mmCIF file of all heavy atoms in Angstrom:
data_model
loop_
_atom_site.group_PDB
_atom_site.id
_atom_site.type_symbol
_atom_site.label_atom_id
_atom_site.label_comp_id
_atom_site.label_asym_id
_atom_site.label_seq_id
_atom_site.Cartn_x
_atom_site.Cartn_y
_atom_site.Cartn_z
ATOM 1 N N SER A 11 -5.536 0.581 9.145
ATOM 2 C CA SER A 11 -6.610 0.476 10.146
ATOM 3 C C SER A 11 -7.608 1.595 9.949
ATOM 4 O O SER A 11 -7.397 2.574 9.207
ATOM 5 C CB SER A 11 -6.015 0.553 11.556
ATOM 6 O OG SER A 11 -5.444 1.821 11.805
ATOM 7 N N SER A 12 -8.731 1.491 10.655
ATOM 8 C CA SER A 12 -9.786 2.492 10.565
ATOM 9 C C SER A 12 -9.325 3.874 11.033
ATOM 10 O O SER A 12 -9.800 4.883 10.533
ATOM 11 C CB SER A 12 -11.008 2.065 11.378
ATOM 12 O OG SER A 12 -10.686 1.921 12.734
ATOM 13 N N SER A 13 -8.370 3.893 11.965
ATOM 14 C CA SER A 13 -7.847 5.164 12.444
ATOM 15 C C SER A 13 -6.810 5.784 11.486
ATOM 16 O O SER A 13 -6.507 6.971 11.575
ATOM 17 C CB SER A 13 -7.206 4.982 13.819
ATOM 18 O OG SER A 13 -6.037 4.188 13.727
ATOM 19 N N GLY A 14 -6.266 4.952 10.642
ATOM 20 C CA GLY A 14 -5.197 5.391 9.745
ATOM 21 C C GLY A 14 -3.842 5.385 10.388
ATOM 22 O O GLY A 14 -2.832 5.673 9.723
ATOM 23 N N ASP A 15 -3.763 5.065 11.663
ATOM 24 C CA ASP A 15 -2.532 5.126 12.400
ATOM 25 C C ASP A 15 -1.684 3.861 12.301
ATOM 26 O O ASP A 15 -0.494 3.874 12.644
ATOM 27 C CB ASP A 15 -2.787 5.386 13.895
ATOM 28 C CG ASP A 15 -3.346 6.773 14.144
ATOM 29 O OD1 ASP A 15 -3.094 7.688 13.327
ATOM 30 O OD2 ASP A 15 -4.072 6.939 15.147
ATOM 31 N N TYR A 16 -2.286 2.788 11.846
ATOM 32 C CA TYR A 16 -1.579 1.511 11.745
ATOM 33 C C TYR A 16 -1.603 1.041 10.327
ATOM 34 O O TYR A 16 -2.668 1.018 9.668
ATOM 35 C CB TYR A 16 -2.211 0.471 12.645
ATOM 36 C CG TYR A 16 -1.671 -0.919 12.440
ATOM 37 C CD1 TYR A 16 -0.482 -1.304 13.073
ATOM 38 C CD2 TYR A 16 -2.330 -1.810 11.622
ATOM 39 C CE1 TYR A 16 0.014 -2.585 12.865
ATOM 40 C CE2 TYR A 16 -1.801 -3.087 11.422
ATOM 41 C CZ TYR A 16 -0.641 -3.473 12.050
ATOM 42 O OH TYR A 16 -0.133 -4.727 11.840
ATOM 43 N N THR A 17 -0.464 0.657 9.819
ATOM 44 C CA THR A 17 -0.352 0.024 8.518
ATOM 45 C C THR A 17 0.584 -1.172 8.597
ATOM 46 O O THR A 17 1.476 -1.222 9.462
ATOM 47 C CB THR A 17 0.186 1.002 7.451
ATOM 48 O OG1 THR A 17 1.473 1.473 7.842
ATOM 49 C CG2 THR A 17 -0.739 2.198 7.267
ATOM 50 N N ASN A 18 0.367 -2.128 7.731
ATOM 51 C CA ASN A 18 1.312 -3.239 7.646
ATOM 52 C C ASN A 18 1.533 -3.613 6.189
ATOM 53 O O ASN A 18 0.737 -3.249 5.296
ATOM 54 C CB ASN A 18 0.858 -4.449 8.502
ATOM 55 C CG ASN A 18 -0.448 -5.095 8.008
ATOM 56 O OD1 ASN A 18 -0.687 -5.222 6.799
ATOM 57 N ND2 ASN A 18 -1.258 -5.530 8.950
ATOM 58 N N TYR A 19 2.626 -4.326 5.977
ATOM 59 C CA TYR A 19 3.007 -4.729 4.625
ATOM 60 C C TYR A 19 3.593 -6.107 4.662
ATOM 61 O O TYR A 19 4.300 -6.506 5.607
ATOM 62 C CB TYR A 19 4.059 -3.759 4.039
ATOM 63 C CG TYR A 19 3.601 -2.346 3.927
ATOM 64 C CD1 TYR A 19 3.800 -1.444 4.970
ATOM 65 C CD2 TYR A 19 2.976 -1.889 2.792
ATOM 66 C CE1 TYR A 19 3.374 -0.133 4.868
ATOM 67 C CE2 TYR A 19 2.560 -0.566 2.679
ATOM 68 C CZ TYR A 19 2.752 0.296 3.715
ATOM 69 O OH TYR A 19 2.335 1.606 3.604
ATOM 70 N N GLU A 20 3.341 -6.860 3.609
ATOM 71 C CA GLU A 20 4.030 -8.120 3.425
ATOM 72 C C GLU A 20 5.505 -7.823 3.201
ATOM 73 O O GLU A 20 5.848 -6.828 2.562
ATOM 74 C CB GLU A 20 3.422 -8.904 2.261
ATOM 75 C CG GLU A 20 3.998 -10.303 2.123
ATOM 76 C CD GLU A 20 3.375 -11.051 0.987
ATOM 77 O OE1 GLU A 20 3.084 -10.429 -0.051
ATOM 78 O OE2 GLU A 20 3.171 -12.280 1.124
ATOM 79 N N ASP A 21 6.363 -8.699 3.684
ATOM 80 C CA ASP A 21 7.796 -8.447 3.618
ATOM 81 C C ASP A 21 8.274 -8.195 2.191
ATOM 82 O O ASP A 21 9.167 -7.359 1.975
ATOM 83 C CB ASP A 21 8.573 -9.628 4.218
ATOM 84 C CG ASP A 21 8.450 -9.689 5.737
ATOM 85 O OD1 ASP A 21 8.094 -8.673 6.347
ATOM 86 O OD2 ASP A 21 8.780 -10.754 6.300
ATOM 87 N N SER A 22 7.708 -8.892 1.238
ATOM 88 C CA SER A 22 8.188 -8.764 -0.117
ATOM 89 C C SER A 22 7.913 -7.431 -0.770
ATOM 90 O O SER A 22 8.527 -7.078 -1.805
ATOM 91 C CB SER A 22 7.576 -9.884 -0.985
ATOM 92 O OG SER A 22 6.159 -9.723 -1.103
ATOM 93 N N VAL A 23 7.007 -6.636 -0.193
ATOM 94 C CA VAL A 23 6.677 -5.355 -0.749
ATOM 95 C C VAL A 23 7.122 -4.173 0.108
ATOM 96 O O VAL A 23 6.970 -3.025 -0.305
ATOM 97 C CB VAL A 23 5.173 -5.221 -1.047
ATOM 98 C CG1 VAL A 23 4.663 -6.391 -1.866
ATOM 99 C CG2 VAL A 23 4.362 -5.092 0.230
ATOM 100 N N LYS A 24 7.680 -4.435 1.264
ATOM 101 C CA LYS A 24 8.135 -3.373 2.144
ATOM 102 C C LYS A 24 9.198 -2.513 1.431
ATOM 103 O O LYS A 24 10.104 -3.022 0.824
ATOM 104 C CB LYS A 24 8.704 -3.929 3.429
ATOM 105 C CG LYS A 24 7.654 -4.442 4.408
ATOM 106 C CD LYS A 24 8.292 -4.929 5.697
ATOM 107 C CE LYS A 24 7.241 -5.403 6.678
ATOM 108 N NZ LYS A 24 7.839 -5.933 7.920
ATOM 109 N N GLY A 25 9.028 -1.220 1.560
ATOM 110 C CA GLY A 25 9.944 -0.282 0.920
ATOM 111 C C GLY A 25 9.571 0.030 -0.524
ATOM 112 O O GLY A 25 10.148 0.956 -1.076
ATOM 113 N N ARG A 26 8.669 -0.735 -1.097
ATOM 114 C CA ARG A 26 8.255 -0.513 -2.459
ATOM 115 C C ARG A 26 6.785 -0.051 -2.569
ATOM 116 O O ARG A 26 6.480 0.750 -3.436
ATOM 117 C CB ARG A 26 8.408 -1.783 -3.285
ATOM 118 C CG ARG A 26 9.851 -2.287 -3.361
ATOM 119 C CD ARG A 26 9.993 -3.396 -4.384
ATOM 120 N NE ARG A 26 9.205 -4.577 -4.022
ATOM 121 C CZ ARG A 26 8.244 -5.118 -4.782
ATOM 122 N NH1 ARG A 26 7.956 -4.555 -5.957
ATOM 123 N NH2 ARG A 26 7.605 -6.187 -4.403
ATOM 124 N N PHE A 27 5.946 -0.557 -1.707
ATOM 125 C CA PHE A 27 4.505 -0.260 -1.729
ATOM 126 C C PHE A 27 4.167 0.640 -0.550
ATOM 127 O O PHE A 27 4.719 0.513 0.536
ATOM 128 C CB PHE A 27 3.653 -1.509 -1.646
ATOM 129 C CG PHE A 27 3.707 -2.400 -2.840
ATOM 130 C CD1 PHE A 27 4.622 -2.222 -3.859
ATOM 131 C CD2 PHE A 27 2.792 -3.462 -2.964
ATOM 132 C CE1 PHE A 27 4.655 -3.044 -4.967
ATOM 133 C CE2 PHE A 27 2.829 -4.292 -4.062
ATOM 134 C CZ PHE A 27 3.745 -4.083 -5.070
ATOM 135 N N THR A 28 3.212 1.520 -0.750
ATOM 136 C CA THR A 28 2.698 2.392 0.298
ATOM 137 C C THR A 28 1.192 2.447 0.243
ATOM 138 O O THR A 28 0.613 2.746 -0.803
ATOM 139 C CB THR A 28 3.255 3.828 0.158
ATOM 140 O OG1 THR A 28 4.688 3.788 0.168
ATOM 141 C CG2 THR A 28 2.765 4.682 1.333
ATOM 142 N N ILE A 29 0.552 2.181 1.387
ATOM 143 C CA ILE A 29 -0.900 2.277 1.478
ATOM 144 C C ILE A 29 -1.258 3.623 2.119
ATOM 145 O O ILE A 29 -0.601 4.104 3.027
ATOM 146 C CB ILE A 29 -1.490 1.089 2.268
ATOM 147 C CG1 ILE A 29 -3.016 1.051 2.155
ATOM 148 C CG2 ILE A 29 -1.063 1.151 3.736
ATOM 149 C CD1 ILE A 29 -3.619 -0.233 2.689
ATOM 150 N N SER A 30 -2.308 4.223 1.602
ATOM 151 C CA SER A 30 -2.761 5.496 2.137
ATOM 152 C C SER A 30 -4.266 5.624 1.895
ATOM 153 O O SER A 30 -4.861 4.794 1.209
ATOM 154 C CB SER A 30 -2.036 6.680 1.494
ATOM 155 O OG SER A 30 -2.265 6.738 0.089
ATOM 156 N N ARG A 31 -4.869 6.672 2.439
ATOM 157 C CA ARG A 31 -6.296 6.874 2.263
ATOM 158 C C ARG A 31 -6.639 8.359 2.193
ATOM 159 O O ARG A 31 -5.903 9.208 2.696
ATOM 160 C CB ARG A 31 -7.085 6.190 3.398
ATOM 161 C CG ARG A 31 -6.868 6.846 4.735
ATOM 162 C CD ARG A 31 -7.638 6.133 5.816
ATOM 163 N NE ARG A 31 -7.626 6.875 7.064
ATOM 164 C CZ ARG A 31 -8.365 6.597 8.112
ATOM 165 N NH1 ARG A 31 -9.205 5.569 8.075
ATOM 166 N NH2 ARG A 31 -8.270 7.327 9.224
ATOM 167 N N ASP A 32 -7.762 8.621 1.542
ATOM 168 C CA ASP A 32 -8.320 9.967 1.456
ATOM 169 C C ASP A 32 -9.739 9.845 2.000
ATOM 170 O O ASP A 32 -10.627 9.375 1.320
ATOM 171 C CB ASP A 32 -8.287 10.447 0.024
ATOM 172 C CG ASP A 32 -8.717 11.911 -0.109
ATOM 173 O OD1 ASP A 32 -9.566 12.371 0.667
ATOM 174 O OD2 ASP A 32 -8.178 12.613 -0.989
ATOM 175 N N ILE A 33 -9.948 10.344 3.228
ATOM 176 C CA ILE A 33 -11.247 10.225 3.870
ATOM 177 C C ILE A 33 -12.323 10.962 3.066
ATOM 178 O O ILE A 33 -13.431 10.461 2.885
ATOM 179 C CB ILE A 33 -11.186 10.775 5.306
ATOM 180 C CG1 ILE A 33 -10.252 9.918 6.161
ATOM 181 C CG2 ILE A 33 -12.586 10.786 5.916
ATOM 182 C CD1 ILE A 33 -10.728 8.467 6.338
ATOM 183 N N ALA A 34 -12.008 12.155 2.580
ATOM 184 C CA ALA A 34 -12.976 12.954 1.860
ATOM 185 C C ALA A 34 -13.471 12.231 0.613
ATOM 186 O O ALA A 34 -14.612 12.359 0.224
ATOM 187 C CB ALA A 34 -12.380 14.322 1.505
ATOM 188 N N LYS A 35 -12.570 11.507 -0.041
ATOM 189 C CA LYS A 35 -12.949 10.794 -1.255
ATOM 190 C C LYS A 35 -13.386 9.336 -1.015
ATOM 191 O O LYS A 35 -13.732 8.646 -1.939
ATOM 192 C CB LYS A 35 -11.771 10.785 -2.240
ATOM 193 C CG LYS A 35 -11.405 12.163 -2.762
ATOM 194 C CD LYS A 35 -10.278 12.081 -3.773
ATOM 195 C CE LYS A 35 -9.944 13.423 -4.341
ATOM 196 N NZ LYS A 35 -8.833 13.349 -5.333
ATOM 197 N N ASN A 36 -13.333 8.908 0.251
ATOM 198 C CA ASN A 36 -13.650 7.530 0.605
ATOM 199 C C ASN A 36 -12.902 6.541 -0.253
ATOM 200 O O ASN A 36 -13.448 5.585 -0.793
ATOM 201 C CB ASN A 36 -15.184 7.290 0.480
ATOM 202 C CG ASN A 36 -15.831 6.973 1.813
ATOM 203 O OD1 ASN A 36 -15.351 7.374 2.876
ATOM 204 N ND2 ASN A 36 -16.928 6.216 1.778
ATOM 205 N N THR A 37 -11.614 6.785 -0.340
ATOM 206 C CA THR A 37 -10.764 5.992 -1.238
ATOM 207 C C THR A 37 -9.470 5.626 -0.533
ATOM 208 O O THR A 37 -8.878 6.426 0.149
ATOM 209 C CB THR A 37 -10.454 6.766 -2.528
ATOM 210 O OG1 THR A 37 -11.691 7.079 -3.205
ATOM 211 C CG2 THR A 37 -9.567 5.938 -3.453
ATOM 212 N N VAL A 38 -9.052 4.396 -0.732
ATOM 213 C CA VAL A 38 -7.774 3.894 -0.262
ATOM 214 C C VAL A 38 -6.888 3.619 -1.472
ATOM 215 O O VAL A 38 -7.353 3.101 -2.478
ATOM 216 C CB VAL A 38 -7.945 2.650 0.595
ATOM 217 C CG1 VAL A 38 -6.579 2.059 0.983
ATOM 218 C CG2 VAL A 38 -8.744 2.973 1.851
ATOM 219 N N TYR A 39 -5.614 3.970 -1.342
ATOM 220 C CA TYR A 39 -4.666 3.792 -2.445
ATOM 221 C C TYR A 39 -3.571 2.830 -2.084
ATOM 222 O O TYR A 39 -3.215 2.639 -0.923
ATOM 223 C CB TYR A 39 -4.028 5.147 -2.776
ATOM 224 C CG TYR A 39 -5.023 6.239 -3.126
ATOM 225 C CD1 TYR A 39 -5.413 7.165 -2.161
ATOM 226 C CD2 TYR A 39 -5.585 6.326 -4.405
ATOM 227 C CE1 TYR A 39 -6.330 8.162 -2.473
ATOM 228 C CE2 TYR A 39 -6.478 7.310 -4.722
ATOM 229 C CZ TYR A 39 -6.861 8.244 -3.749
ATOM 230 O OH TYR A 39 -7.750 9.221 -4.069
ATOM 231 N N LEU A 40 -3.031 2.200 -3.093
ATOM 232 C CA LEU A 40 -1.832 1.432 -2.951
ATOM 233 C C LEU A 40 -0.867 1.874 -4.013
ATOM 234 O O LEU A 40 -1.028 1.585 -5.218
ATOM 235 C CB LEU A 40 -2.116 -0.090 -3.102
ATOM 236 C CG LEU A 40 -0.912 -1.004 -2.846
ATOM 237 C CD1 LEU A 40 -0.521 -0.976 -1.380
ATOM 238 C CD2 LEU A 40 -1.232 -2.442 -3.275
ATOM 239 N N GLN A 41 0.150 2.639 -3.601
ATOM 240 C CA GLN A 41 1.196 3.082 -4.474
ATOM 241 C C GLN A 41 2.220 1.988 -4.600
ATOM 242 O O GLN A 41 2.812 1.574 -3.594
ATOM 243 C CB GLN A 41 1.821 4.383 -3.973
ATOM 244 C CG GLN A 41 2.956 4.908 -4.834
ATOM 245 C CD GLN A 41 2.488 5.384 -6.186
ATOM 246 O OE1 GLN A 41 1.514 6.112 -6.274
ATOM 247 N NE2 GLN A 41 3.190 4.998 -7.246
ATOM 248 N N MET A 42 2.500 1.539 -5.800
ATOM 249 C CA MET A 42 3.403 0.429 -6.041
ATOM 250 C C MET A 42 4.551 0.945 -6.890
ATOM 251 O O MET A 42 4.356 1.336 -8.049
ATOM 252 C CB MET A 42 2.699 -0.731 -6.719
ATOM 253 C CG MET A 42 1.439 -1.215 -6.002
ATOM 254 S SD MET A 42 0.713 -2.706 -6.732
ATOM 255 C CE MET A 42 0.258 -2.049 -8.348
ATOM 256 N N ASN A 43 5.742 0.926 -6.345
ATOM 257 C CA ASN A 43 6.947 1.339 -7.017
ATOM 258 C C ASN A 43 7.899 0.171 -7.196
ATOM 259 O O ASN A 43 7.785 -0.840 -6.518
ATOM 260 C CB ASN A 43 7.639 2.457 -6.252
ATOM 261 C CG ASN A 43 6.798 3.704 -6.124
ATOM 262 O OD1 ASN A 43 6.013 4.054 -6.998
ATOM 263 N ND2 ASN A 43 6.948 4.412 -5.001
ATOM 264 N N SER A 44 8.856 0.334 -8.075
ATOM 265 C CA SER A 44 9.885 -0.684 -8.322
ATOM 266 C C SER A 44 9.244 -2.049 -8.543
ATOM 267 O O SER A 44 9.658 -3.071 -7.969
ATOM 268 C CB SER A 44 10.870 -0.725 -7.154
ATOM 269 O OG SER A 44 11.487 0.511 -6.957
ATOM 270 N N LEU A 45 8.264 -2.083 -9.389
ATOM 271 C CA LEU A 45 7.485 -3.302 -9.614
ATOM 272 C C LEU A 45 8.342 -4.390 -10.234
ATOM 273 O O LEU A 45 9.225 -4.144 -11.069
ATOM 274 C CB LEU A 45 6.281 -3.020 -10.469
ATOM 275 C CG LEU A 45 5.132 -2.348 -9.738
ATOM 276 C CD1 LEU A 45 4.158 -1.716 -10.693
ATOM 277 C CD2 LEU A 45 4.415 -3.349 -8.801
ATOM 278 N N LYS A 46 8.062 -5.633 -9.828
ATOM 279 C CA LYS A 46 8.770 -6.803 -10.303
ATOM 280 C C LYS A 46 7.788 -7.750 -10.981
ATOM 281 O O LYS A 46 6.586 -7.723 -10.692
ATOM 282 C CB LYS A 46 9.424 -7.537 -9.108
ATOM 283 C CG LYS A 46 10.370 -6.675 -8.284
ATOM 284 C CD LYS A 46 10.859 -7.421 -7.064
ATOM 285 C CE LYS A 46 11.766 -6.552 -6.222
ATOM 286 N NZ LYS A 46 12.245 -7.290 -5.029
ATOM 287 N N PRO A 47 8.258 -8.592 -11.855
ATOM 288 C CA PRO A 47 7.353 -9.570 -12.495
ATOM 289 C C PRO A 47 6.563 -10.399 -11.499
ATOM 290 O O PRO A 47 5.403 -10.747 -11.768
ATOM 291 C CB PRO A 47 8.302 -10.441 -13.352
ATOM 292 C CG PRO A 47 9.415 -9.528 -13.684
ATOM 293 C CD PRO A 47 9.618 -8.680 -12.448
ATOM 294 N N GLU A 48 7.155 -10.711 -10.352
ATOM 295 C CA GLU A 48 6.478 -11.498 -9.359
ATOM 296 C C GLU A 48 5.329 -10.753 -8.678
ATOM 297 O O GLU A 48 4.571 -11.335 -7.883
ATOM 298 C CB GLU A 48 7.437 -12.055 -8.308
ATOM 299 C CG GLU A 48 8.382 -10.998 -7.729
ATOM 300 C CD GLU A 48 9.744 -11.009 -8.423
ATOM 301 O OE1 GLU A 48 9.775 -11.064 -9.675
ATOM 302 O OE2 GLU A 48 10.747 -10.961 -7.722
ATOM 303 N N ASP A 49 5.218 -9.449 -8.935
ATOM 304 C CA ASP A 49 4.078 -8.703 -8.447
ATOM 305 C C ASP A 49 2.844 -8.895 -9.312
ATOM 306 O O ASP A 49 1.749 -8.412 -8.947
ATOM 307 C CB ASP A 49 4.404 -7.209 -8.384
ATOM 308 C CG ASP A 49 5.483 -6.910 -7.346
ATOM 309 O OD1 ASP A 49 5.450 -7.453 -6.240
ATOM 310 O OD2 ASP A 49 6.369 -6.076 -7.653
ATOM 311 N N THR A 50 2.990 -9.549 -10.434
ATOM 312 C CA THR A 50 1.851 -9.789 -11.331
ATOM 313 C C THR A 50 0.788 -10.596 -10.630
ATOM 314 O O THR A 50 1.055 -11.686 -10.125
ATOM 315 C CB THR A 50 2.319 -10.511 -12.594
ATOM 316 O OG1 THR A 50 3.225 -9.662 -13.328
ATOM 317 C CG2 THR A 50 1.129 -10.864 -13.493
ATOM 318 N N ALA A 51 -0.420 -10.069 -10.618
ATOM 319 C CA ALA A 51 -1.542 -10.718 -9.917
ATOM 320 C C ALA A 51 -2.800 -9.898 -10.123
ATOM 321 O O ALA A 51 -2.736 -8.764 -10.623
ATOM 322 C CB ALA A 51 -1.251 -10.857 -8.407
#
């Protein structure tokens, strides 16, 4: 969310992906760990 206080994840990526942001850099990140072939997209 715009406040940064709310995040959500699709069930298939919970525990593996993390969304975050850096306000100073105006950048949002998606850290993806334990990647699976079905994550290909």
